[in-house]
Amino acid sequence: MSSERLAALLDEYAQLEKRLADPAIHADQSVARRVGRRYAELSPLHKAADELEQARADLAAARELAAEDPSFAGEAESIAAGLPALEERLAELLIPRDPHDAKDVIVEIKAGEGGEESALFAGDLLRMYTRYAERRGWLTEVIDAQDSDLGGVKDVSLAIKTKGVPEGGNGVWSRLKWEGGVHRVQRVPVTESQGRIHTSAAGVLVLPEAEDVDVTIDPNDLRIDVFRSSGPGGQSVNTTDSAVRITHVPTGIVVSCQNEKSQLQNREQAMRILRARLLAAAQEQADAAASDARKAQVRTVDRSERIRTYNFPQNRITDHRIGYTAYNLDLALAGELDGVLDALADADRAARLAADPELTRR
């Protein structure tokens, strides 16, 4: 494993520890939160390095004692047998992490092909992610939503965040970043009188929520329009022009928000989504310039691909990127997503190790 990389990260951990011990840092909560997240991210590495160093010291001592007293030979062998697991754990923690892993996210779900059935499926996905967040103890907030006539959603933006600093730097993004793509459903729609199975789809976009320091937006680059909010079927939600549409002229990104009652609140929510989209766009540009090995990883999958199928007649969920299949669709829709998410995380970890053989070098 790279001793230089390990030394640099442990030095960074020590510097962060000093900064957090300084009361002055808490005068700016955004800075304190950012430093705290990075410190939490490096804490498992620091602990693993300490355990390995202690084990090696114990082994040296046991072997020295065994040279004088053979009864210590068994203890030395036991310690030596445990070293590979500690080294493997440290090697995994040295894998370069996704810089957004500690971040909260904004999940955008859009109904696709399939009309009302697609909107109903988009509503199912919204409930699935909301229930998963509840299981993890995360907070959820619907930023904006356009409902359909039959109770589904045409378009919804859902913010999901951790309470406080995420343990080990594993924020919402570290778990849900795999979800971006086209999700396909196969079932008999409620609108189908013949009992035939239909296929429809919904698109999911997962964005790491950007802080002000992550993205700089020039106000002169924005075109802001206001309009009257409308609900399903076109009826007016209110009688004032409170809905806001923001266009980022340099990139052409357009964000609309109408859920809140005031124009100011809708503008603030729209800016949250715009910052997240700009951060994601910048990351995609960086990924495009990365090596073939990085682009081949699970997490950089083309969002235009159909990544997952939800088959109701067979109670089956299939993730096409890694060949994962399970017959517990009912549980997955109830928020039990850890099976497929763990499989995706394992595949990504294996890809990272394969892409950087130095990490497994002893």
Side-chain angles (χ1 to χ4, degrees), residues 12-22 25-26 28-43 102 165 211:
E12 182 185 358
Y13 176 87
Q15 295 302 318
L16 292 170
E17 193 169 41
K18 288 181 181 178
R19 291 187 68 186
L20 288 172
D22 183 357
I25 195 175
H26 300 287
D28 188 332
Q29 283 302 307
S30 64
V31 173
R33 183 167 58 251
R34 193 163 62 252
V35 172
R37 284 180 175 176
R38 180 58 175 165
Y39 179 78
E41 184 179 313
L42 292 178
S43 292
V165 176
E211 299 178 35

Side-chain angles (χ1 to χ4, degrees), residues 41-82:
E41 184 179 313
L42 292 178
S43 292
L45 176 72
H46 178 264
K47 181 181 178 181
D50 270 358
E51 290 177 350
L52 180 58
E53 182 180 0
Q54 185 60 54
R56 286 172 173 169
D58 290 344
L59 177 60
R63 283 176 172 170
E64 185 177 335
L65 291 170
E68 300 177 1
D69 185 347
S71 64
F72 285 97
E75 182 178 349
E77 290 177 4
S78 177
I79 296 173

Side-chain angles (χ1 to χ4, degrees), residues 221-360:
D221 289 338
L222 302 179
R223 185 173 70 245
I224 302 176
D225 303 301
V226 296
F227 57 97
R228 188 159 299 176
S229 301
S230 62
Q235 74 260 29
S236 177
V237 171
N238 56 49
T239 57
T240 61
D241 293 336
S242 62
V244 174
R245 181 186 299 110
I246 299 178
T247 302
H248 186 252
V249 177
T251 61
I253 294 175
V254 180
V255 179
S256 298
C257 229
Q258 62 175 2
N259 260 32
E260 303 297 338
K261 293 181 179 180
S262 79
Q263 189 181 120
L264 178 60
Q265 290 173 316
N266 280 321
R267 176 171 174 158
E268 290 175 349
Q269 298 288 44
M271 286 298 294
R272 285 177 66 185
I273 298 174
L274 177 60
R275 280 194 295 269
R277 288 191 186 178
L278 288 173
L279 180 63
Q283 186 62 50
E284 285 177 1
Q285 289 180 350
D287 288 344
S291 67
D292 290 340
R294 280 180 59 86
K295 288 190 286 185
Q297 292 174 20
V298 175
R299 67 189 179 89
T300 60
V301 68
D302 185 349
R303 288 193 179 94
S304 67
E305 294 179 357
R306 288 184 174 178
I307 63 168
R308 192 174 299 154
T309 295
Y310 304 74
N311 185 291
F312 276 68
Q314 299 178 17
N315 196 36
R316 170 172 56 85
I317 179 171
T318 299
D319 195 289
H320 305 292
R321 295 165 291 183
I322 56 173
Y324 173 93
T325 295
Y327 293 88
N328 62 350
L329 175 57
D330 54 337
L331 297 178
L333 290 173
E336 295 187 21
L337 286 173
D338 281 330
V340 63
L341 295 180
D342 286 344
L344 286 161
D346 289 343
D348 183 65
R349 190 179 301 110
R352 289 173 184 268
L353 282 169
D356 194 346
E358 182 185 350
L359 292 172
T360 55

